[in-house]
Amino acid sequence: MSAIVWIAALSLASWLWLLLCQGFFWRTDIRLPDRTPPREWPSVCVVVPARDEAAVLPASLPSLLAQDYPGPAEVFLVDDGSRDGTGDVARALARRHGGLPLTVDSPGEPPAGWTGKLWAVRHGIGLARAREPEYLLLTDADIAHAPDSLRELVAAARTGGFDAVSQMARLRVESPWERLVVPAFVYFFAQLYPFRRIGRRGARTAAAAGGCVLLRAETAERVRIPDAIRQAVIDDVALARAVKGTGGHIWLGLADRVDSVRPYPRLHDLWRMVSRSAYAQLRHSPALLLGTVLGLALVYLVPPLALLFGLTAGSAPTAVCGALAWLVMAGTYVPMLRHYRQPLWLAPLLPFTAFLYLLMTVDSAVQHYRGRGAAWKGRTYMRPDAVADEG
């Protein structure tokens, strides 16, 4: 058998392993677990770090203020050095819409060793601590919540005994590029961190979605969140690892009515979103970068290339292996496309989308070695340990 046949067969074997042995990552039925309303609703403080978010706050903040929560709840929006009047917009929205009490404050620029977002979260938790809440909801400024979102999160946390409950917000998919790239982003995330394993006690897999994390306040204090992860590369995953690593019980799943309103209309916008932290995810390791590139090529690019080569060269084994691998790939992508209410003809295009992600990852490494760091909303993190995912 020629080398190309072996490579095609290895790609097919990889997909069969992913299909059956990677925590059924491709299933999208992991939603909030069974829950019952508590007899007495605990107090909750909502912490919202916000930097230059005046454009999205009108679509997101009113949904937080309008939470139909039976217990004590308050919102703390931390203006992280915004230059677009974010704080003023937040105050105006609170006056116009009413609802939960809103406090707007600013911590100033982060000191050395802190990322801006986590410094803002620390300040918000400090403000909330005076209220002695039982839970903290850490949510991004671009996240819109259904009216019962907080109530359902708290009920799930109390019923399941979870220290942290996180939901992967449904990202916006309106522009052609968003439709092509965004569902794949969540698909790849689930492939790396299978949701079923995250909620299982004793399993090592730990992750969270930074846009919506309900955290027990006692746990945050015990684990020293966010101080313990102040230099974390990907803060939500680091938070989950810190909580689970100290014996905490965590849960992560897909959200039905928690949505990101942040637009990414152009490929350039999506490219920046991924590339600013992709190499940091690989711990700035050239070896991990090489392994990632080869792995993406084997798993996503080989199937269509093997099918094409097999058909043109008359190699039936190569064509069959390529076709079957591509079929399994597309089939595992279909549930995510349905979750995002996207046409299923996008499923066979996943190799092209994966190729874009490969290029974004390589570009992230190139920018790192050019000394440009990760730029986000006017703030550049030059040091490897100070790069943050501040989506």
Side-chain angles (χ1 to χ4, degrees):
M1 296 178 67
S2 66
I4 187 63
V5 176
W6 282 110
I7 293 173
L10 181 59
S11 180
L12 175 58
S14 299
W15 272 110
L16 293 176
W17 182 86
L18 288 170
L19 175 69
L20 302 173
C21 304
Q22 186 59 3
F24 295 100
F25 76 94
W26 42 272
R27 294 185 58 172
T28 56
D29 56 349
I30 306 299
R31 310 300 168 91
L32 278 177
D34 293 338
R35 54 208 176 273
T36 56
R39 292 183 178 180
E40 193 171 319
W41 289 89
S43 60
V44 182
C45 285
V46 182
V47 177
V48 186
R51 179 174 174 83
D52 294 337
E53 300 284 18
V56 299
L57 281 180
S60 60
L61 185 58
S63 73
L64 275 177
L65 301 177
Q67 284 300 295
D68 178 20
Y69 185 68
E74 188 171 349
V75 180
F76 294 87
L77 186 139
V78 183
D79 185 354
D80 179 21
S82 299
R83 298 163 297 177
D84 65 349
T86 288
D88 293 334
V89 170
R91 294 184 186 94
L93 289 169
R95 288 193 297 268
R96 184 185 315 155
H97 295 276
L100 298 183
L102 173 70
T103 298
V104 179
D105 205 352
S106 178
E109 284 296 307
W114 280 85
T115 65
K117 178 180 177 179
L118 288 176
W119 180 245
V121 168
R122 185 183 193 272
H123 186 71
I125 291 178
L127 295 173
R129 193 168 287 127
R131 308 296 196 270
E132 298 183 345
E134 186 171 339
Y135 288 95
L136 300 163
L137 175 61
L138 311 181
T139 185
D140 287 343
D142 64 305
I143 303 298
H145 293 256
D148 61 350
S149 175
L150 181 57
R151 188 171 68 241
E152 295 297 300
L153 283 166
V154 170
R158 290 295 287 268
T159 303
F162 295 105
D163 293 277
V165 173
S166 181
Q167 287 187 292
M168 177 72 72
R170 195 189 301 267
L171 306 178
R172 201 186 89 138
V173 281
E174 295 183 12
S175 73
W177 285 112
E178 286 171 337
R179 295 175 187 274
L180 182 68
V181 174
V182 165
F185 178 85
V186 183
Y187 172 88
F188 294 145
F189 184 93
Q191 194 175 77
L192 289 172
Y193 307 102
F195 295 163
R196 275 177 171 74
R197 294 179 180 172
I198 291 169
R200 189 184 307 158
R201 289 188 183 273
R204 297 179 59 185
T205 306
C212 179
V213 180
L214 183 76
L215 179 66
R216 191 184 296 273
E218 180 184 8
T219 301
E221 187 171 353
R222 172 174 55 84
V223 184
R224 295 177 56 249
I225 299 295
D227 296 60
I229 60 170
R230 62 185 179 274
Q231 293 183 332
V233 173
I234 308 296
D235 52 83
D236 44 12
V237 174
L239 183 151
R241 286 175 175 167
V243 172
K244 197 167 189 178
T246 56
H249 193 194
I250 66 174
W251 183 93
L252 170 64
L254 295 171
D256 287 314
R257 294 192 297 155
V258 177
D259 303 296
S260 172
V261 298
R262 190 184 306 284
Y264 293 100
R266 304 170 300 168
L267 177 60
H268 172 73
D269 303 314
L270 291 159
W271 194 288
R272 286 182 61 241
M273 178 192 74
V274 175
S275 66
R276 71 171 182 264
S277 59
Y279 194 43
Q281 175 74 35
L282 300 176
R283 302 196 293 273
H284 302 97
S285 166
L288 286 178
L289 174 65
L290 178 61
T292 298
V293 170
L294 293 177
L296 285 171
L298 174 67
V299 174
Y300 290 99
L301 304 186
V302 165
L305 293 177
L307 175 60
L308 180 62
F309 176 85
L311 292 176
T312 55
S315 174
T318 304
V320 169
C321 287
L324 289 176
W326 198 357
L327 181 63
V328 175
M329 180 199 314
T332 60
Y333 192 36
V334 164
M336 189 61 69
L337 290 174
R338 285 178 172 162
H339 173 67
Y340 272 92
R341 305 183 185 95
Q342 296 305 301
L344 299 189
W345 58 260
L346 288 171
L349 299 183
L350 189 56
F352 174 71
T353 306
F355 181 61
L356 290 178
Y357 274 91
L358 185 155
L359 295 178
M360 294 173 194
T361 304
V362 172
D363 181 59
S364 180
V366 170
Q367 298 306 317
H368 170 75
Y369 289 113
R370 285 182 176 177
R372 296 180 182 178
W376 180 243
K377 295 185 179 178
R379 184 182 280 148
T380 302
Y381 303 100
M382 298 304 296
R383 298 194 340 270
D385 62 354
V387 182
D389 175 13
E390 294 200 41

